[in-house]
Every structure is written in structure tokens, then in C-alpha cells.
């Protein structure tokens, strides 16, 4: 009987450890919070993108007819939760353009936010994101490799020249 009791106790302990691990995985892959979502039109997006340096309309590759965004706090919460920046950099396999695509897809997949653009900055040979919070009148740049979010004026022009670029949004 003691063998059965020990087996049941071992099984219960294994189940407790498994439940704990599942809880950890759940926290990693399912956000435990939501953000306010606002539907905005193409004009909202256009007015913000016009503030990018060297702007021309041909730079914007329009992907949607209606965009969904959040406020700056919501973007900061998403960035804090998102794990894109923890993926190891591997040249050509998971480098800057893949980081930018991953963050854009994650914002849409987990939060329904599609007002995240991918900037293909040929002048800097770099890719990163542009985000459009509802409560900020200008586009913000987001570096998904380091979780930095900043204004166009605050950018380091070595990595974010914005001279020859396209925006997928």
C-alpha cells in the first residue's frame, strides 16, 4: 500500500510541476492584459506618415483600409510583454527585417493592432517599425531588437536615416 501511496504522491507532484510550467508558458504566449483599441482611417495614418523626413506618397505601401491602434501606454505595454527582442540575431535568417515583421505580426495577432508599420530603410541598410499611437500626433519609431521607442527627432541617424525608405503599413 505504501508503494501505491508514494506513486500517487509522485504523480500529484509531477502534475503540480507540469501545471506550474504550463502557467509559465501561458504567461509567455498569452498576454494577461488588454489595451484600448481605436479604429482609425487612412487619413489618420497619412497625416502621421507625412511627418516622416523625405516623405513622398509612393513610400507608403498601403496594406489595409481601416487601421486599429492603441494609445502610447498600450504600445508600451505591448512592447514590454512582447518577446521579439529576446530572439537571437542571426544574419539573414533572423535579422532586422525579421524582427520588424515579427513585431508587426505579434501586435496584430495578439492585440488586433495593425497600425504598426515596417520601415525598410535602404539608406541605413536597416529595418525597424513605425507605430501610430492615437494620443501622439507624430509617428514614433520602434526598434524591435532593443525595445526602444522614440520620435523621429530623437533618432540616431546612423541607424535611422530615413532618406531612402519604404513603409509597409
Amino acid at each position: 500500500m505504501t508503494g501505491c501511496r508514494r506513486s500517487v504522491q509522485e504523480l500529484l507532484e509531477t502534475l503540480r510541476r507540469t501545471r506550474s510550467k504550463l502557467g509559465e508558458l501561458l504567461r509567455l504566449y498569452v498576454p494577461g492584459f488588454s489595451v484600448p483599441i481605436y479604429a482609425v482611417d487612412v487619413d489618420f495614418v497619412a497625416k502621421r506618415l507625412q511627418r516622416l523626413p523625405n516623405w513622398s506618397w509612393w513610400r507608403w505601401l498601403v496594406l489595409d483600409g481601416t487601421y486599429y491602434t492603441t494609445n502610447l501606454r498600450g504600445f508600451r505595454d505591448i512592447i514590454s510583454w512582447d518577446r521579439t527582442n529576446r530572439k537571437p540575431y542571426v544574419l539573414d535568417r533572423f535579422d532586422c527585417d525579421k524582427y520588424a515583421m515579427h513585431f508587426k505580426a505579434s501586435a496584430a495577432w495578439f492585440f488586433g493592432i495593425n497600425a504598426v508599420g515596417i520601415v525598410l530603410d535602404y539608406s541605413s541598410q536597416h529595418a525597424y517599425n513605425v507605430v501610430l499611437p492615437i494620443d501622439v500626433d507624430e509617428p514614433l519609431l520602434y526598434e524591435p531588437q532593443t525595445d526602444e521607442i522614440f520620435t523621429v527627432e530623437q533618432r540616431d541617424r546612423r541607424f535611422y536615416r530615413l532618406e531612402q525608405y519604404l513603409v509597409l503599413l
Side-chain angles (χ1 to χ4, degrees):
M1 196 67 163
T2 38
C4 268
R5 191 171 285 148
R6 186 176 329 164
S7 294
V8 169
Q9 288 173 334
E10 289 172 359
L11 177 61
L12 288 173
E13 183 55 34
T14 299
L15 289 172
R16 277 192 281 276
R17 284 194 309 270
T18 302
R19 182 177 180 192
S20 174
K21 292 292 182 189
L22 286 173
E24 289 175 32
L25 284 172
L26 189 62
R27 284 187 296 280
L28 289 176
Y29 293 103
V30 178
F33 64 95
S34 62
V35 296
I37 297 175
Y38 306 91
V40 296
D41 60 16
V42 172
D43 288 337
F44 171 92
V45 174
K47 286 177 186 172
R48 276 144 182 86
L49 291 181
Q50 287 177 17
R51 297 185 180 195
L52 291 172
N54 304 304
W55 180 252
S56 294
W57 289 107
W58 60 265
R59 294 189 186 282
W60 177 19
L61 302 175
V62 181
L63 301 179
D64 294 302
T66 301
Y67 289 88
Y68 297 88
T69 190
T70 187
N71 54 28
L72 181 57
R73 175 68 188 171
F75 273 115
R76 289 190 188 283
D77 288 345
I78 291 168
I79 289 166
S80 178
W81 174 83
D82 181 71
R83 300 179 60 83
T84 301
N85 63 311
R86 297 187 181 168
K87 178 89 171 145
Y89 180 98
V90 179
L91 183 63
D92 293 333
R93 294 181 69 197
F94 201 92
D95 52 8
C96 59
D97 56 311
K98 280 61 151 203
Y99 280 91
M101 286 185 257
H102 190 275
F103 181 74
K104 178 176 181 44
S106 291
W109 180 268
F110 292 108
F111 299 96
I113 303 293
N114 66 341
V116 174
I118 299 168
V119 180
L120 301 173
D121 191 340
Y122 295 99
S123 51
S124 301
Q125 297 181 347
H126 189 40
Y128 44 91
N129 297 106
V130 60
V131 298
L132 307 173
I134 191 85
D135 55 344
V136 178
D137 290 333
E138 62 183 318
L140 298 178
L141 302 179
Y142 170 61
E143 176 53 70
Q145 295 180 62
T146 61
D147 277 358
E148 295 174 88
I149 189 168
F150 45 90
T151 66
V152 171
E153 291 303 314
Q154 294 170 326
R155 77 188 190 279
D156 182 336
R157 285 173 170 75
R158 293 175 299 167
F159 306 111
Y160 315 97
R161 284 191 190 143
L162 289 171
E163 293 167 4
Q164 298 172 351
Y165 64 93
L166 295 172
V167 177
L168 284 76
L169 182 81

